[in-house]
Structure formats: structure tokens, C-alpha cells
Amino acid sequence: MSTLEKTELEKETSTTTQLSGSQAVLEALLQEGVDTIFGYPGGAIMPIYDALYDYSEKLTHILVRHEQGGIHAAQGYARTSGNVGVAFATSGPGATNLVTGLADAMIDSTPLVCVTGQVFAALLGTDAFQETDVINITTPVTKWNYQVTDANEIPEVMAKAFYIAKTGRPGPVLVDITKNAQLQLFDFLGYKKCDHIRSYRPKPVIRKEYITQAAEVINQAKKPFVLFGQGVILGKAEAEFKAFIEKGGFPAAWTVMGLSALETDHPLNVGMLGMHGNYAPNVMTNECDVLIAIGMRFDDRVTGRLDKYAKQAKIVHLDIDPAEIDKNVKTTVPVWGDCKETLPLLTELLQEKDHNAWVTEFRELEKEEIKEVIQDELNPTTDIMTMGEVLKTLNELTGGDAIIVTDVGQHQMVSCRYAKFNSSRSNVTSGGLGTMGFGLPAAIGAWYGAPHRDVVAIIGDGGIQMTIQELGTIMQFGAKVKIMILNNEFLGMVRQWQQLFHQRRYSFVDITSPDFVAVAKGYYIDGNKISERKDLKPALKTMLDHDGAYLLEVMVGKENNVFPMVAQGTSVSEIRLK
């Protein structure tokens, strides 16, 4: 070797940084712009937590009270911030406690990177203490997962994890790192973000001929109807979507996950689709001549009976995931691609129209729903408070500017039906999986994702008891979440089905609850309980004005039902008003 070559080698060697695998994980997070981690330490992930001690000024770690709470918080953070949520857990039960959240994030397309500790590589397969095969357990509920056994892999694997989680149709990624890899020192040559994986195409190629065909079908429509889902939000295409519907004069209805992509008071917003959606959009699905689906997946709760779903209409389906095209509903024209890119191309070819007479048909059906359902729900004449009037009063006080996080059940459907929103990323809920217990931890994460906004968690008396321990997380770290429990003393949605379809055989739905205000005070969180209408508005105002977390329990009617309702096995046009 020449003297020059030796000098260059010495220079190269002298600039090489030695890091542990644990440090490399944290450096990756910093390079990816991560500022908040939700996690819980344990034996197999201890080296990463030891390294985190030195990163406390650069990375905020929120110690949750259960790993499921951690991953739901990461989901809430991702949903309000638009960034990748990050969760840490140890091996064994720590990792398996993430599974529900992974499944929830997978079906709701939420970008997450979860890092789990694992036993030493030499112990894999020996049934070591707290060893579980987390890779095979989580394969069905992750977009990608990978087990690291050598620290040299960490920079590249972490870069791939973030790239896969946030590109294309987002989703959860899990990186499982053995303890030896966390401890191992290696030559860290820097971190390079991933922008390409040979076997992974995040976005399909846009086919201009399909754009042209879709425009021709839409321009010929007399009764066009737009259905929009979370794809509009995930694609950051809210402005492009609004331009599309306004140029075409299209009535537009949203899925639960699409709620807030378009402001609720927009003149072309005709309401919510699905089982407990609004009357007009469900009925008109089977009256329109062209159905334009944007960033939604024709879930069974939206379609009802598929063999009776929009059979009279031509279907134009815009989606980034080719697997969703023709999966449930046969498409006339598929438009593959990111709607941020495809919508402007389609809008350019649209004829400018208003379709006022068609929109008026929706409004006439809306009047029927107001008369039969909404009037009594929002303005009850009995002494019993309804969930709807609580939402109505909340809207008056927030002006539609708050983030609403819901758990799962009747309160969720009522909140989605009646909450007002002025801006996107304001509705956070568990859509596809329907995870009770989601609400409280997701609200914590939502607040960290948007600390400048009011975050109101609306939760039932059943769901709150599944993750109530996360009040401890609020107590320790100070998330200013407003927690509103709508207490009907039942597992309300199950009870409603038992009433309507099982002859009122109320089997194990009568739930006894603790004194929630006292529980909150045990965590040094202020609260109040009300059961009379005269106290509702003052109590809500106190909750919203309070500087810090606050719990308000509102007693509502025990056997109130959520209507309209499309019963399982029926067509959307058979929607019941009562």
C-alpha cells in the first residue's frame, strides 16, 4: 500500500464514528424528524432506553401505562400531525400488547414505526424468558416487519421502515431488535433516508387514458355523487378535492374516516355514509347515475348488501392501492394513483356544472331525517339528556375548531353524525377495527401531535374502563386533554342490537362503573359529573376553559338508540329512520 493510500485510509478511519445499535436507532429517529416517542421499557429493550437517557433534550418520551396505550397514542399523534407515530415496547408481553394497535393502524392506514426489543440472538427459538415470535405474530397486521440481529443493519432497516410506513398507502411497520444488536458497537457511516426499494412501488403509475375515460363518464352524468374517505386526508389533497367537487357541482358524502376532509358546513357536503349515516346519502347511493369514490374502500358498513349496492350507477374509483379496485364493488373506470395527483388531472377535464336540482333532492331527504330523527336528538322534549344535544352544545362552544377523538360505540356514531369541523385532521377514531379503549390514549397522542388545538375525547362508560390507566400518563406528562364520558350505564351499541334484533334479551350489557370523577381526582385531574340539562353548557364551558386535563361525566338516556340505521344484510336504500 502506498503512503498516500495509507494516509487516506487513516483519514477515513479517524472520521468513522462508533455507535451502539441503540444509539443508531435514536439517531435514525432524529434524522427522520421524530420528536415524540410513546413507550414502556423492559428487559429486552433496556439498552435502547439506556441510550435514550442521553437524548432527553432531543427526543420527548412519554411513559404510557400499557403498551396498547402507547401504540394508540402513536396513532393519535400520527393522525393529527400527519407525521409517522413512534412506539417502543419490550419483548414478549410488551410486543404482543402492541398487536391490537397494529391491527387498528393497518386497517385504518395509519403510519407507525414500532420498535420492539428482543432476546439475545443466541437465545432465539429456545423459549427464553419473554421471548415471543413477534415477526410471525405481527406479519398479518403490519405493512412490513423485520428482525435485526446485527447492529450494522440498523441504519438501513430504520430508513426502510420510515419510508414504507409513510409512502403510498400508509401503515404500521415493526422493527424487532435483538438485545445483542442493541448493545453491539459498529462503525456508523451516517444515516441515509430511503427513497426507493426495488420490490416496493408505493404509488401506481397514473394512466392518463383512465383519467380521460373517467372525465367522459362524469361529464355525461345527470346525477353524479361523490363518496370520499381518508385517502383525501392521507394524500393531503383537501384543496384538490374541494376544487374538484366545486367545479363539477357534485354532492359529496364522507366515510367515518373521511370526516373533516371537507368542512361539515360546505354547501356540497351532504353528510355521512354507512350504517348510522345520514338518510339522504344512503338512499341516493341507489339513485345516482355515476358514483365517484375517492380514497375510500367500500367497507361493508358503507355498502350494506353488495348485491343491492348502486347497481344502477357507473362507478369511478380513485385509489392509491390497486388492491382496493374491484375488491368489493365492480368499477366502470379505475383511476389508480395518489389523489393529490389524479384529482387535478381529472378536474382539468371536467365541465363546469352546478347540479342544483340534484343537490336539492338530497336536501329534501335531509328535511325528512331532521323531522324524524335529528330534531328530537338535538332538541329533546323530555328531561333525559341525549348524546346529540351534548354534541350540539359542544359545537356551539368550540365553533368546529376542536379535534374530536372518539372511542367506539353509540357515542362514536353520534359524534361523527353531529360534530362540526372546519379543518382537516380533526376527527380521530378507530374506524375499521372498532377498538374499544382507543379513545383516551389516542387523545393523548392527538394532543402531542397538535398541542396548539383543543382536543376533546368523547368516550363511553364501557370503553373508558379498558384504558383508564392512561390517566396516569396525563397526570405525569400533562397532556391538556378534555375527557367527556357519555354515560348511559350500558354497553350501548351492543344493547341497541340486542333490543332490535334479539328481542331485548339484554345479555351482559348492563355495566356498573366507578365514580369516574373520583378516579380522575386520584390522578390529580379535575372533573365534574352532571345529570341535568341546565348544567350542560356551563359544565362544558368549564371543561374547555380549564387550563389542563379535565374529565366531565355526562349522564344520558339509558336506552336511547342511534338512528338512522342500515341493518346488517339489508340495502342502503332500506335504511331505517326509527
Side-chain angles (χ1 to χ4, degrees), residues 181-246:
Q182 296 172 47
L183 293 165
Q184 178 187 345
L185 294 175
F186 74 108
D187 291 336
F188 181 70
L189 303 176
Y191 185 82
K192 182 181 178 183
K193 289 186 179 182
C194 180
D195 60 9
H196 174 74
I197 298 172
R198 187 178 64 179
S199 59
Y200 168 61
R201 180 182 290 177
K203 294 192 286 190
V205 175
I206 296 172
R207 301 193 182 187
K208 298 291 181 66
E209 64 271 25
Y210 287 160
I211 300 283
T212 303
Q213 290 173 30
E216 289 173 356
V217 169
I218 294 168
N219 285 332
Q220 292 170 10
K222 303 298 183 188
K223 295 182 175 182
F225 184 23
V226 172
L227 317 180
F228 64 96
Q230 190 189 200
V232 175
I233 299 170
L234 295 173
K236 298 180 173 64
E238 293 90 346
E240 291 80 1
F241 174 75
K242 189 186 290 190
F244 172 76
I245 63 167
E246 288 179 347

Side-chain angles (χ1 to χ4, degrees), residues 144 147 196 220 236 266 279 292 312 321 325-326 330 338 341 355 373 384 407 428 445 450 458 515 571:
W144 183 63
Q147 186 173 78
H196 174 74
Q220 292 170 10
K236 298 180 173 64
H266 191 283
Y279 188 57
I292 308 155
Q312 80 294 339
D321 185 356
I325 305 291
D326 291 335
K330 182 66 178 173
D338 186 339
E341 300 168 8
H355 294 108
V373 179
I384 299 171
D407 207 81
V428 179
I458 301 176
D515 182 336
S571 161

Side-chain angles (χ1 to χ4, degrees), residues 63 65 468-477 523 525:
L63 177 65
R65 297 307 187 259
I468 198 167
Q469 73 279 352
E470 297 308 327
L471 291 174
T473 305
I474 294 173
M475 172 185 68
Q476 183 170 355
F477 296 96
Y523 286 101
I525 295 169

Side-chain angles (χ1 to χ4, degrees), residues 430-509:
S430 172
L433 198 65
T435 305
M436 288 180 68
F438 173 88
L440 180 57
I444 295 170
W447 185 83
Y448 281 100
H452 56 288
R453 298 183 64 187
D454 286 333
V455 175
V456 181
I458 301 176
I459 310 174
D461 47 316
I464 186 68
Q465 295 186 67
M466 290 194 169
T467 48
I468 198 167
Q469 73 279 352
E470 297 308 327
L471 291 174
T473 305
I474 294 173
M475 172 185 68
Q476 183 170 355
F477 296 96
K480 297 180 180 182
V481 176
K482 315 304 181 186
I483 305 155
M484 184 163 62
I485 300 172
L486 299 183
N487 188 346
N488 57 10
E489 301 177 88
F490 269 118
L491 300 177
M493 188 61 80
V494 182
R495 184 212 55 76
Q496 177 170 334
W497 281 55
Q498 289 178 345
Q499 176 188 335
L500 297 177
F501 309 116
H502 296 275
Q503 298 80 49
R504 279 185 186 264
R505 288 160 58 85
Y506 289 170
S507 181
F508 301 101
V509 289

Side-chain angles (χ1 to χ4, degrees), residues 259 391 404 406 410-419 458:
L259 176 55
L391 265 295
I404 305 293
T406 55
Q410 286 181 319
H411 69 275
Q412 175 193 33
M413 293 296 98
V414 170
S415 298
C416 289
R417 282 177 53 80
Y418 298 117
I458 301 176

Side-chain angles (χ1 to χ4, degrees), residues 146-346:
Y146 189 84
Q147 186 173 78
V148 174
T149 57
D150 186 317
N152 287 282
E153 296 182 284
I154 287 174
E156 182 181 358
V157 169
M158 291 297 290
K160 282 184 177 180
F162 276 89
Y163 178 64
I164 291 170
K166 67 187 177 182
T167 56
R169 181 177 180 173
V173 170
L174 183 139
V175 179
D176 190 46
I177 308 177
T178 57
K179 196 167 184 179
N180 60 286
Q182 296 172 47
L183 293 165
Q184 178 187 345
L185 294 175
F186 74 108
D187 291 336
F188 181 70
L189 303 176
Y191 185 82
K192 182 181 178 183
K193 289 186 179 182
C194 180
D195 60 9
H196 174 74
I197 298 172
R198 187 178 64 179
S199 59
Y200 168 61
R201 180 182 290 177
K203 294 192 286 190
V205 175
I206 296 172
R207 301 193 182 187
K208 298 291 181 66
E209 64 271 25
Y210 287 160
I211 300 283
T212 303
Q213 290 173 30
E216 289 173 356
V217 169
I218 294 168
N219 285 332
Q220 292 170 10
K222 303 298 183 188
K223 295 182 175 182
F225 184 23
V226 172
L227 317 180
F228 64 96
Q230 190 189 200
V232 175
I233 299 170
L234 295 173
K236 298 180 173 64
E238 293 90 346
E240 291 80 1
F241 174 75
K242 189 186 290 190
F244 172 76
I245 63 167
E246 288 179 347
K247 184 175 181 181
F250 307 131
W254 36 269
T255 68
V256 164
M257 297 299 292
L259 176 55
S260 83
L262 180 70
E263 57 267 32
T264 45
D265 289 336
H266 191 283
L268 292 172
N269 190 330
V270 294
M272 173 173 145
L273 297 162
M275 179 172 282
H276 291 289
N278 293 108
Y279 188 57
N282 277 293
V283 170
M284 290 309 203
T285 297
N286 281 359
E287 299 293 331
C288 66
D289 58 0
V290 174
L291 197 65
I292 308 155
I294 303 173
M296 55 86 72
R297 57 187 180 85
F298 289 112
D299 176 77
D300 66 295
R301 290 296 170 101
V302 165
T303 64
R305 276 186 64 166
L306 281 170
D307 62 345
K308 292 186 176 182
Y309 184 78
K311 292 301 179 182
Q312 80 294 339
K314 293 180 178 178
I315 311 290
V316 176
H317 192 177
L318 288 73
D319 209 283
I320 197 169
D321 185 356
E324 293 298 342
I325 305 291
D326 291 335
K327 185 178 85 174
N328 293 327
V329 175
K330 182 66 178 173
T331 303
T332 308
V333 183
V335 180
W336 299 339
D338 186 339
C339 62
K340 179 84 170 176
E341 300 168 8
T342 56
L343 277 172
L345 297 173
L346 191 52

